[in-house]
Amino acid sequence: MKYRRHFRKILTRKYPELYDSILRDTEYRYAQISRDTIFSKNSTNPLDKRLDLMAYFLATILTLQEKRLDFQGIQSVCMEIALEYVRPKNRLQKWLKKLPPKLIDTSLARLFLKRMQKNIGRKWHEDGFRAELVTDKKETYGLGYGIDILECGICKLFSKHKAQEYTPILCKVDKITSNLAGLELIRKGTIANGADKCDFRFKKK
């Protein structure tokens, strides 16, 4: 739950007079929404682990919507929070974020990816993720790593709470995290925007 401090940092700065009200309402909504993501804590699918954070994002979005913030305003807040959350806080973190692409051709990485495919290839829960790894270098711009999201737990969560129009905001965060890893994200479509799958492909910068 350490992610809360990043939300509070941005919201305090942007809305000092409304902060107490925003925090109270967000926490109340999160308590309700998180019932739908409680399964993620025990899921063997690593993609499901992000759903608790997404539940807090959703609670924040719905609270800001109630405060009459428009879509662009909500998107701006979410992107600031996401950037604050993922950005490296020191040199070690910066180095670690750029390490995975450098290890992708190692035997250790291949072993990890094989195990990862087993875990992400099946749904642990009906409301969770299902995905498929792509390791053919011809299909991954020579990197040897890509991923197709076939069922998106975030889309399911947001749709369940009638907030599906906000799901694409979270898709934008993927470009930030890819950039921090020294990669350019290339994606033809996302489930949030009506595609059959989210195709993650990357190029080394």
Side-chain angles (χ1 to χ4, degrees):
M1 305 295 280
K2 292 180 179 179
Y3 58 72
R4 275 180 164 90
R5 69 176 183 265
H6 304 297
F7 285 79
R8 291 171 180 174
K9 180 178 180 179
I10 300 302
L11 292 169
T12 302
R13 187 180 72 211
K14 293 184 74 70
Y15 308 107
E17 295 181 0
L18 291 174
Y19 173 71
D20 289 339
S21 173
I22 290 173
L23 177 61
R24 183 183 64 249
D25 292 351
T26 296
E27 289 292 338
Y28 174 79
R29 284 188 169 88
Y30 168 76
Q32 311 303 312
I33 295 169
S34 62
R35 295 173 184 173
D36 296 324
T37 61
I38 191 70
F39 71 88
S40 65
K41 296 180 180 180
N42 297 316
S43 176
T44 57
N45 188 328
L47 298 176
D48 290 343
K49 300 301 183 183
R50 67 183 69 181
L51 288 175
D52 184 67
L53 171 62
M54 294 302 109
Y56 205 84
F57 258 114
L58 178 54
T60 302
I61 287 169
L62 293 177
T63 296
L64 295 177
Q65 183 185 48
E66 185 184 62
K67 303 296 182 186
R68 305 298 182 185
L69 205 62
D70 63 16
F71 182 90
Q72 292 302 322
I74 291 174
Q75 177 172 260
S76 176
V77 172
C78 288
M79 295 305 293
E80 285 190 51
I81 293 171
L83 183 58
E84 173 64 23
Y85 177 68
V86 302
R87 71 177 179 82
K89 307 303 186 292
N90 52 54
R91 290 183 179 180
L92 177 60
Q93 289 184 9
K94 186 176 183 179
W95 179 78
L96 287 173
K97 285 183 180 292
K98 291 189 176 183
L99 186 59
K102 297 177 182 179
L103 299 176
I104 201 68
D105 284 327
T106 66
S107 57
L108 181 62
R110 286 190 288 271
L111 182 63
F112 172 79
L113 292 177
K114 184 177 181 180
R115 182 174 181 180
M116 181 180 175
Q117 177 56 61
K118 181 180 178 181
N119 290 331
I120 69 174
R122 60 187 179 87
K123 287 185 294 185
W124 196 87
H125 188 278
E126 187 61 32
D127 291 334
F129 282 86
R130 184 171 66 88
E132 185 176 74
L133 287 181
V134 181
T135 56
D136 188 332
K137 290 195 173 185
K138 293 180 181 179
E139 297 181 32
T140 57
Y141 300 95
L143 183 63
Y145 173 77
I147 186 169
D148 289 337
I149 304 295
L150 306 176
E151 294 186 42
C152 174
I154 302 172
C155 290
K156 294 175 185 178
L157 178 65
F158 277 54
S159 293
K160 189 171 185 177
H161 292 271
K162 297 179 173 55
Q164 56 267 31
E165 69 269 28
Y166 295 103
T167 316
I169 293 175
L170 280 306
C171 299
K172 294 178 181 292
V173 179
D174 297 325
K175 290 190 176 183
I176 298 174
T177 55
S178 299
N179 185 59
L180 290 172
L183 299 170
E184 175 189 357
L185 173 62
I186 301 171
R187 190 166 52 191
K188 295 179 180 178
T190 63
I191 296 172
N193 284 314
D196 293 333
K197 63 182 180 181
C198 307
D199 57 326
F200 287 75
R201 301 294 184 272
F202 306 93
K203 280 185 178 180
K204 288 185 179 181
K205 288 190 173 182

